[in-house]
Amino acid sequence: MNHPKFTTYKHPLKLSGKEMIERAEKFTELIEERRSVRTFSSKAVPVDLIKCCIKAAGASPSGANMQPWYFVVVSDSELKKKIRDAAEAEEHEFYHGKAPAEWLDALAPLGTDESKPFLETAPYLIVIFEKRYVETASREIIKYYYTKESVGIATGILITALHNSGLSTLTHTPSPMNFLNTILNRPHNEKPFLILVAGYADEDTKVPDIKRKELEEIATFI
Ligand code: IYR
């Protein structure tokens, strides 16, 4: 057994109570303005911005610190087209037979259908993979823990980091998504988690008029 090694930790911020609340309110105001968008501008986004936000996502907590995430940043038009074609084929199945009526009813306010032009318009498709285990050189399988939870948290931080830098995103999950392993040449131990479409929201972007739940509906203080 390896003995754990510890180093001193101090939170980087040292704020007064007033500063803390001001900072929290400012952040909440900003993140409350986050919306998923389905129309993107093709305006270029510097790849360094995406790299920086992925670094932020890589600082997420994870089960046994296994960091079970992998990000493939797709900007190549041919690859984006391949992903769009494969995703639209799955979505066609979904909207024309696979999805139960209740699911289609729940989606109706969003106005979605099988057409996914944003998969080609947006400058980046960040394909997020969940590593469920790794195989060592000696073919030993090392299991990772809480991979879905960990990758979900990392995705949340990535969405937040992108929004914080002025970009919009869409979490997109055509199902099944195994075509992503083929197109992006990723190994079997990686399961596609979602496609995070990222770029500037188009000037004429419209979003459904939906409301967020009130604090009282989502939290209890006991
Ligand atoms: N994957 C489909 C359907 C869809 C499902 C959910 I849950 C959404 O929140 C939105 C869409 C699509 O992308 O159209």
Side-chain angles (χ1 to χ4, degrees):
M1 263 279 264
N2 287 333
H3 290 289
K5 249 174 66 192
F6 287 87
T7 54
T8 304
Y9 172 75
K10 285 196 188 3
H11 193 285
L13 299 174
K14 232 182 169 174
L15 305 171
S16 69
K18 184 166 167 282
E19 288 166 327
M20 288 171 88
I21 189 79
E22 276 170 8
R23 224 179 134 94
E25 282 173 356
K26 225 172 146 204
F27 178 76
T28 301
E29 227 171 79
L30 176 67
I31 202 69
E32 280 186 335
E33 294 288 323
R34 187 209 59 80
R35 291 298 307 262
S36 293
V37 306
R38 292 182 170 77
T39 44
F40 287 84
S41 156
S42 54
K43 185 177 165 186
V45 170
V47 74
D48 282 351
L49 186 52
I50 306 294
K51 285 184 184 172
C52 189
C53 294
I54 292 177
K55 272 183 82 172
S60 305
S62 64
N65 189 37
M66 296 297 197
Q67 306 172 56
W69 36 69
Y70 196 79
F71 303 88
V72 179
V73 182
V74 182
S75 57
D76 178 83
S77 331
E78 268 177 44
L79 284 176
K80 286 198 287 184
K81 180 167 175 14
K82 278 190 186 166
I83 292 174
R84 177 184 178 179
D85 289 347
E88 285 184 336
E90 293 300 350
E91 296 293 12
H92 187 273
E93 298 281 299
F94 175 81
Y95 283 98
H96 301 275
K98 247 166 79 177
E102 310 91 83
W103 196 344
L104 293 178
D105 286 350
L107 291 177
L110 305 182
T112 53
D113 59 24
E114 69 266 36
S115 160
K116 306 295 175 196
F118 52 76
L119 291 173
E120 283 191 89
T121 335
Y124 294 105
L125 306 179
I126 307 175
V127 184
I128 305 173
F129 289 88
E130 172 195 355
K131 286 190 185 213
R132 301 203 292 182
Y133 60 90
V134 279
E135 198 176 332
T136 63
S138 56
R139 306 226 148 223
E140 190 196 350
I141 300 283
I142 299 176
K143 203 178 132 30
Y144 281 180
Y145 303 99
Y146 292 99
T147 54
K148 234 182 210 354
E149 292 82 351
S150 307
V151 178
I153 296 166
T155 302
I157 293 184
L158 179 56
I159 292 168
T160 308
L162 290 165
H163 177 73
N164 182 58
S165 34
L167 295 180
S168 290
T169 57
L170 176 69
T171 47
H172 183 48
T173 53
S175 169
M177 283 194 282
N178 30 18
F179 63 83
L180 291 165
N181 288 74
T182 315
I183 297 175
L184 301 174
N185 202 17
R186 297 308 304 168
H188 286 299
N189 64 328
E190 292 180 11
K191 187 171 186 259
F193 184 71
L194 57 75
I195 304 172
L196 191 66
V197 186
Y200 294 99
D202 191 78
E203 287 285 335
D204 310 314
T205 293
K206 301 263 187 296
V207 291
D209 189 13
I210 49 178
K211 297 275 170 290
R212 297 226 156 89
K213 291 181 180 174
E214 295 297 329
L215 177 64
E216 296 68 32
E217 294 177 83
I218 64 168
T220 304
F221 299 81
I222 50 177

